[in-house]
Amino acid sequence: MNDDHQHQHPPSPMALRVKALETVLTERGIVDPQAVDAVLDLYEHQVGPRNGAQVVARAWTDPAYRARLREDATAAIGEMGFLGMQGEHMVAVENTPTVHNVVVCTLCSCYPWSVLGLPPAWYKSHAYRSRVVMEPRAVLREFGVDLPEDVEVRVWDSTAEVRYLVVPQRPAGTDGLDEPALANLVTRDSMVGTAVLPDAGSAA
Amino acid sequence: MNDDHQHQHPPSPMALRVKALETVLTERGIVDPQAVDAVLDLYEHQVGPRNGAQVVARAWTDPAYRARLREDATAAIGEMGFLGMQGEHMVAVENTPTVHNVVVCTLCSCYPWSVLGLPPAWYKSHAYRSRVVMEPRAVLREFGVDLPEDVEVRVWDSTAEVRYLVVPQRPAGTDGLDEPALANLVTRDSMVGTAVLPDAGSAA
Amino acid sequence: MNGIHDMGGMHGFGAVDPTDSEPWHDHWESRVFALTLAASRHLRSNLDRGRFQLETLPPDAYLRGYFERWFARLIDQAEDAGFIDAASRAAIDHGTPVPARTKDREPLPAEALVHVAATGRPTARDIGTAPVFAVGEAVRARNLHPAGHTRLPGYVRGKAGEVIGYRGAHVFPDSHAALEGEDPRHLYAVRFSAAALWGNAAPPGDSVTLDLFEPYLEAAA
Amino acid sequence: MNGIHDMGGMHGFGAVDPTDSEPWHDHWESRVFALTLAASRHLRSNLDRGRFQLETLPPDAYLRGYFERWFARLIDQAEDAGFIDAASRAAIDHGTPVPARTKDREPLPAEALVHVAATGRPTARDIGTAPVFAVGEAVRARNLHPAGHTRLPGYVRGKAGEVIGYRGAHVFPDSHAALEGEDPRHLYAVRFSAAALWGNAAPPGDSVTLDLFEPYLEAAA
């Protein structure tokens, strides 16, 4: 897989440097290349936003679960088997008609890997990190989310080892859907707080 | 002079870019190359720290002048003909056995050109700008100035169009010197506040 | 430290690009990510020290890009730990193959690494003291400017907020990053009104909440 | 704006090198300096706007170096004013000669430029109002975060100090940089104790004094 990928273009200076460093670290016994491949496989194919979407769909449909998620998100997410690195201590924050939550890590780019996978590049961008705490509404507009003035915006800056999962509002018109169908509606960005889920049947 | 200088080394990419921009600006009539040369001649050969040194030496020897410098430095420096761009509004701050003054511009690199000439590179460095307001004593130690704890350090951040001239303490052992001889002892850095003048006869 | 990484509230970085939505732009970025995890056993670092090692890169290097700085950190760590010297570092920088050496460590095997990733490393600790602040209490973030690692962002220092949650006691990053032990401290969710942080022009109901360690806080007057 | 230029109190830039004591490192730097002065008549800018044009460079470009950013500003200004287009900008970037064009302006002659440099451009103005604050009064720097140019550094915002001098009324940079007129305002020297700015670990007698415009200040409670 790696070779296929690298053969598409002449390798960049950074690609060559990384390859050289990997060679040294492998020869010295610092890394096992199979471990490198395995952890990439984990985050590219196993751990991702489908985990968080299942948590959200269950919270939408199971009031007792939702109560547990509010009370102790780490335990409630643990029930579903979605703990792991960068998800050891979880807090779920719920959007409502009057409250919109959005998550950032201004100091680096902390993100709840175990429920959302690895963060998108925009989450790690200097623009997002610097701006969303000071002008969240302007940033959200760049994501196409234009919040009314009477909706309270709560920004969560992940400054310690607590990781945040936004529980988006359940879209209107989804009463007939079961939990797996609901989970399919839940996008990654809606669980970071930079998207609002469209009503069912609307074009988006 | 320019050509001599440029022929010493193959021109750097920046040198080529600047030359190309100068050519465009000249052809379009935006700049007169003679004006460029003239203003460089002004700051390389006419306006420099010797101006400030004369102000300091006079303040040391002429109590009435020193009083005028305290009262209205712009007027007192104007008397000596040393006003000009980036020196339109001057304030003189005097070092004493218990007070040491040091000047910075954290936001850009404002500096009293008309009395000190153009600033040294260290004055414009990110290290100096960022650190001297928070840890002036540590920065001064990097200049070889180790101030006793009981000396009060006053940092002046040039955030508006007021420019500061530090009047260093007159070195001991200079009672017999006349004003021009005293001016020869006054260094640029002592008028920024990053140097203390050594006593006369000491090795430095 | 008051570093370039402490960028909450800065202007000048332009617009956010929501379409830049993948974890990496290039294959090498994924390798740097995974190498960093796979090598961690031998790098004399930890989660907090690793962050500090990013923060102490020269500011222009920090700004070069996310995985560019992970690479810079990894090569620094490898040099700190004695696995590469200046010559092999230069060779790596040129992207040239580096002479083979004897294997002198046992790398973390794939199963062990995946196990760590899939189970995590909790930072909560039991400590014998009661938390000083209560939920609902008014607190102020202290005006601290340590040269070392801290997780108290500049934009809240000196500002008053309210404790809205207690998170338990956790490994204290300021100590852990300095390799001075875990020194766990109570951790609180503290909510600041946007107006307290950014002035009265901010929308009245909006807020920013941070998880802040007890040593970062004092009772608000 | 809360830009990278507002670096007072930042860590991470290393030690100061007192031996780096000349105004420029290279001949081209002196040309950029003098070209900037010589071209100013035609560049639709002013002292304050020129500073803002440095501040709004991308942070990595800002950090590239002092005269590197003066060059970046000058070429931006030349493009803004219509003297170069994208093609000639690209040619300049490659350092290649740019096709000759008709002279369409009158440059500032040498004598006039030297006269300006040698006499200056005072920013003090007479305004009809009395200053609000008196010497000796306790004031607080407002917690302002404008997106535009300002000369209120981040490190004093929200902090209390004392007015130690009145400087007269001067051109207000926040307005002048936006090409919205001089709007002169009263200017004060305000002294902050180092402890107020940096916490109680700072040496007790030390202080930082800034020249701050009246709109940056409020009476301290």
Side-chain angles (χ1 to χ4, degrees), chain B residues 1-3 5-6 12-18 20-40 42-44 81 83-86 88-89 91 101 104-110 113-114 118-137 139 142-144 149 151-164 188-189, chain D residues 5-11 13-18 20-25 27-28 30-35 37-39 42-43 47 51 62-63 66-67 69 71 74-75 78 82-84 92-93 95-96 98-110 113-114 116-124 150-153 155 164 167 170 187 191 198 203 205-213:
Chain B
M1 184 193 86
N2 305 341
D3 284 349
H5 192 114
Q6 294 206 329
S12 69
M14 277 305 297
L16 291 170
R17 287 183 197 120
V18 172
L21 179 57
E22 181 167 355
T23 302
V24 178
L25 294 177
T26 303
E27 286 174 347
R28 296 295 297 266
I30 312 309
V31 300
D32 177 345
Q34 292 185 352
V36 175
D37 292 338
V39 80
L40 280 178
L42 181 73
Y43 286 110
E44 290 186 327
L83 295 183
M85 197 182 281
Q86 291 297 307
E88 294 91 342
H89 306 284
V91 167
N101 295 281
V104 66
C105 168
T106 59
L107 296 174
C108 42
S109 295
C110 298
W113 296 0
S114 65
L118 298 178
W122 61 255
Y123 184 86
K124 298 175 283 182
S125 69
H126 305 143
Y128 185 77
R129 288 170 52 191
S130 60
R131 291 177 57 213
V132 78
V133 286
M134 186 160 66
E135 41 177 3
R137 290 167 187 270
V139 170
E142 290 167 17
F143 281 85
E149 272 187 31
V151 171
E152 178 186 331
V153 176
R154 294 183 182 166
V155 182
W156 301 82
D157 187 357
S158 316
T159 48
E161 293 313 309
V162 175
R163 298 289 168 266
Y164 291 90
R188 178 193 63 198
D189 289 7
Chain D
H5 71 284
D6 187 7
M7 55 178 64
M10 278 185 73
H11 293 112
F13 289 110
V16 180
D17 178 7
D20 191 14
S21 66
E22 293 301 315
W24 19 74
H25 301 105
H27 178 71
W28 68 261
S30 69
R31 299 306 286 181
V32 169
F33 166 79
L35 283 168
L37 265 59
H42 295 304
L43 292 181
L47 181 69
R51 290 186 186 135
Y62 186 93
L63 292 178
Y66 186 82
F67 288 110
R69 61 180 174 262
F71 176 76
L74 183 57
I75 198 165
F83 301 131
I84 59 172
I92 290 166
D93 193 50
T96 48
V98 177
R101 288 174 176 275
T102 314
K103 180 169 169 178
D104 56 3
R105 290 287 191 291
E106 266 316 308
L108 198 64
L113 179 58
V114 169
V116 168
T119 54
R121 292 188 182 109
T123 56
T150 187
R151 296 290 287 185
L152 176 66
Y155 75 89
I164 64 153
R167 305 298 196 201
H170 286 256
L187 181 68
R191 178 163 294 163
W198 313 115
D206 292 358
S207 63
V208 185
T209 305
L210 298 81
D211 292 307
L212 298 177
F213 288 90

Side-chain angles (χ1 to χ4, degrees), chain C:
Chain C
M1 67 179 287
N2 298 346
I4 182 66
H5 71 284
D6 186 7
M7 55 177 65
M10 276 186 73
H11 293 111
F13 290 110
V16 180
D17 177 8
T19 67
D20 191 14
S21 66
E22 294 301 317
W24 22 72
H25 301 105
D26 223 321
H27 178 71
W28 68 262
E29 298 186 343
S30 69
R31 299 305 287 181
V32 168
F33 166 78
L35 284 168
T36 300
L37 265 59
S40 60
R41 170 192 276 196
H42 296 303
L43 292 180
R44 297 185 191 166
S45 192
N46 59 48
L47 182 69
D48 299 299
R49 187 169 186 79
R51 290 186 185 135
F52 189 52
Q53 288 168 319
L54 293 175
E55 295 163 12
T56 47
L57 290 171
D60 57 335
Y62 186 95
L63 292 177
R64 213 160 284 147
Y66 186 82
F67 288 109
E68 283 80 357
R69 61 180 173 260
W70 277 52
F71 175 75
R73 172 177 63 181
L74 184 57
I75 197 163
D76 282 350
Q77 289 174 331
E79 190 172 2
D80 287 350
F83 302 130
I84 58 172
D85 57 16
S88 56
R89 190 176 172 132
I92 290 166
D93 193 51
H94 286 93
T96 50
V98 177
R101 287 173 177 275
T102 315
K103 180 170 170 178
D104 54 2
R105 290 287 193 291
E106 267 316 308
L108 199 65
E111 313 75 52
L113 179 59
V114 168
H115 177 77
V116 169
T119 54
R121 294 188 180 110
T123 56
R125 300 289 183 268
D126 284 323
I127 59 174
T129 62
V132 167
F133 303 110
V135 172
E137 197 168 342
V139 291
R140 186 179 295 278
R142 291 179 188 268
N143 183 29
L144 303 173
H145 299 270
H149 181 65
T150 187
R151 297 291 287 185
L152 175 65
Y155 75 89
V156 301
R157 294 180 196 162
K159 303 297 198 297
E162 181 190 342
V163 175
I164 65 153
Y166 172 64
R167 304 298 196 201
H170 286 255
V171 173
F172 188 42
D174 304 45
S175 171
H176 200 221
L179 302 182
E180 291 172 358
E182 294 194 339
D183 190 21
R185 301 300 185 111
H186 297 295
L187 180 68
Y188 306 86
V190 181
R191 179 162 293 163
F192 298 87
S193 73
L197 297 178
W198 313 115
N200 294 327
D206 292 358
S207 63
V208 185
T209 304
L210 298 82
D211 292 309
L212 298 177
F213 288 89
E214 199 167 271
Y216 301 163
L217 301 171
E218 60 194 3

